Amino acid sequence: MQKLQFEALRRIGLTLAVAQELIHLLEQHPGCIPVRVTEVHRETVRLDDGTQDLPARRMPSLARGLADQDDAVAVGDWGLARCDAHGDWWLTHCLQPFSALVRRDGDGLRHIVVSNVDTALLVMGLDLDFSLRRIERFLALVQASGVRPVVVLSKPDLCADMPRALAQLQARLPADVPHVVLDGRNAAAAEVLAPWLAPAQTLVLLGSSGAGKSTLANTLMGHAVQETGATREGDGRGRHTTTSRSLHRLPGGACLIDTPGVRTLRPDASEASLAASFNDVARLSLQCRFRDCQHRGEPGCAVREGVDGDRLNNFHKLQREMRRDTLTALERRQQLSEWKARGRAGRANLRAKRGE
């Protein structure tokens, strides 16, 4: 049986829990070696066994098995690989991830962003990228996945009023979510993030294009691993310099996953996880006059009185998305028919008022 090279694998994020699962799997498949997925492409994957980078393909049986479960290989996965007689590497097995960041697409289907992550660095620029609604959306995604969030405010040199921006952020963030301000180009960024960069820890960078994720990744690595680009002058939006997710080893022993920038996403959240992200809404709802208060137009609503109006609107929007994602295909069609009927009725009333 292939022995587990613990120290080598620890450099790519091996934990005791993962090691136990890998040992059990190796006992069943002695011709394989333990690996971690560092990149995923349409036809191929890149693996790391702690000592070398291995280009590989997914074993068809693995791909079929995951597809049957509406799942797929993701960056950060742990598994087994073997080399065939022609010298080609194959990813044969994947462990069930201990944590996974999952988003929903427009049809409500689930997609794994990354797996086996300890901390998510939510990067947001203090320029035109600054958006409290977006950071709340990222928090809902991360906290629904059981991953620790850290809000990273970049580009402080472009902020016209730092105290005001920080006050706005602190008013909207849950008290247990830390936030830091740093210049992603400065080597001191590693010192600021040191509490989350311990050996064998895995972090993921999330944020919109142009927020400074790739710049921060290059700084933490000590050399350029990702291309960087300037933002547009008109709206501060960045260009997609990072086009795929990739896992990198940091000098101090942690691992970092960089991801392409996104400005909008739909978290795979539940009622409970959404309440954790908006704990002020959950706490104040206990003081509402009505137990089933929706925090809209009901009298005696403590939430509307105590929560910022924009934050509450964002909560309602995420709540609608979450409930829509749980609908069946038939329920979606019925809902669409109702919306169309309301639209036709509204247009008919408008024509009647105009005397048309």
Side-chain angles (χ1 to χ4, degrees), residues 22 26 37 59 64 112 130 133 140 157 161 177 180 191 197 238 260 286 289 305 307 314 319 341 353:
L22 286 176
L26 281 169
V37 179
M59 187 67 76
R64 285 194 302 270
I112 295 181
F130 190 75
R133 280 198 167 199
D157 55 312
D161 191 345
V177 175
V180 298
E191 298 179 13
L197 297 178
L286 300 176
R289 179 183 299 178
E305 295 179 3
V307 177
N314 200 25
Q319 193 177 54
K353 289 181 179 179

Side-chain angles (χ1 to χ4, degrees), residues 32-349:
C32 298
I33 65 169
V35 293
R36 193 171 194 188
V37 179
T38 59
E39 292 182 20
V40 175
H41 304 286
R42 186 181 298 274
E43 301 294 336
T44 62
V45 294
R46 298 198 77 85
L47 311 173
D48 194 329
D49 69 351
T51 60
Q52 60 182 331
D53 177 61
L54 304 170
R57 285 181 288 175
R58 306 166 188 80
M59 187 67 76
S61 57
L62 172 65
R64 285 194 302 270
L66 291 173
D68 290 343
Q69 302 172 40
D70 293 325
D71 204 348
V73 176
V75 172
D77 275 343
W78 287 94
L80 300 184
R82 66 172 176 83
C83 188
D84 64 17
H86 304 286
D88 296 324
W89 284 94
W90 294 86
L91 180 64
T92 60
H93 300 83
C94 277
L95 295 182
Q96 186 72 23
F98 287 83
S99 66
L101 294 182
V102 182
R103 66 172 179 85
R104 297 265 186 174
D105 62 19
D107 296 322
L109 299 177
R110 301 172 77 251
H111 298 275
I112 295 181
V113 181
V114 292
S115 63
N116 297 306
V117 170
D118 301 295
T119 304
L121 302 179
L122 310 182
V123 184
M124 181 172 67
L126 283 162
D127 52 0
L128 296 177
D129 181 59
F130 190 75
S131 170
L132 297 173
R133 280 198 167 199
R134 191 185 319 118
I135 209 68
E136 287 172 343
R137 184 172 286 268
F138 276 107
L139 277 174
L141 167 74
V142 171
Q143 293 186 316
S145 306
V147 175
R148 294 175 308 201
V150 177
V151 176
V152 177
L153 299 174
S154 63
K155 306 183 181 181
D157 55 312
L158 299 180
C159 183
D161 191 345
M162 179 73 74
R164 180 172 179 270
L166 290 178
Q168 290 177 333
L169 180 69
Q170 290 168 351
R172 299 275 286 259
L173 278 183
D176 60 342
V177 175
H179 65 278
V180 298
V181 180
L182 55 80
D183 185 339
R185 302 165 298 180
N186 195 315
E191 298 179 13
V192 176
L193 296 174
W196 302 281
L197 297 178
Q201 290 291 295
T202 300
L203 302 91
V204 61
L205 290 168
L206 297 174
S208 59
S209 298
K213 299 188 306 301
S214 294
T215 299
L216 179 58
N218 291 340
T219 298
L220 294 177
M221 285 293 297
H223 62 275
V225 293
Q226 296 287 16
E227 293 183 5
T228 60
T231 58
R232 297 195 306 230
E233 292 185 6
D235 56 10
R237 292 196 176 189
R239 298 168 176 84
H240 290 284
T241 54
T242 301
T243 57
S244 62
R245 304 173 190 108
S246 54
L247 184 147
H248 309 279
R249 303 186 201 178
L250 296 182
C255 295
L256 182 70
I257 301 176
D258 196 9
T259 64
V262 292
R263 298 195 72 84
T264 59
L265 55 78
R266 292 173 64 174
D268 180 38
S270 64
E271 292 275 2
S273 61
L274 192 61
S277 297
F278 290 81
N279 54 7
D280 50 346
V281 175
R283 184 182 68 255
L284 289 172
S285 65
L286 300 176
Q287 303 174 24
C288 292
R289 179 183 299 178
F290 301 107
R291 183 174 299 177
D292 59 348
C293 182
Q294 299 299 305
H295 322 308
R296 298 184 185 277
E298 301 91 340
C301 177
V303 172
R304 287 205 322 277
E305 295 179 3
V307 177
D308 178 84
D310 185 65
R311 177 171 169 80
L312 185 57
N313 288 337
N314 200 25
F315 169 78
H316 285 312
K317 183 176 182 181
L318 287 168
Q319 193 177 54
R320 288 195 300 272
E321 292 178 3
M322 178 196 67
R323 290 173 177 171
R324 188 162 60 244
D325 289 337
T326 61
L327 297 176
T328 64
L330 178 59
E331 289 171 334
R332 288 174 187 273
R333 288 195 295 269
Q334 290 174 339
Q335 187 182 69
L336 182 60
S337 298
E338 291 175 3
W339 288 345
K340 288 181 177 179
R342 291 176 187 174
R344 288 192 297 268
R347 291 191 293 272
N349 289 335

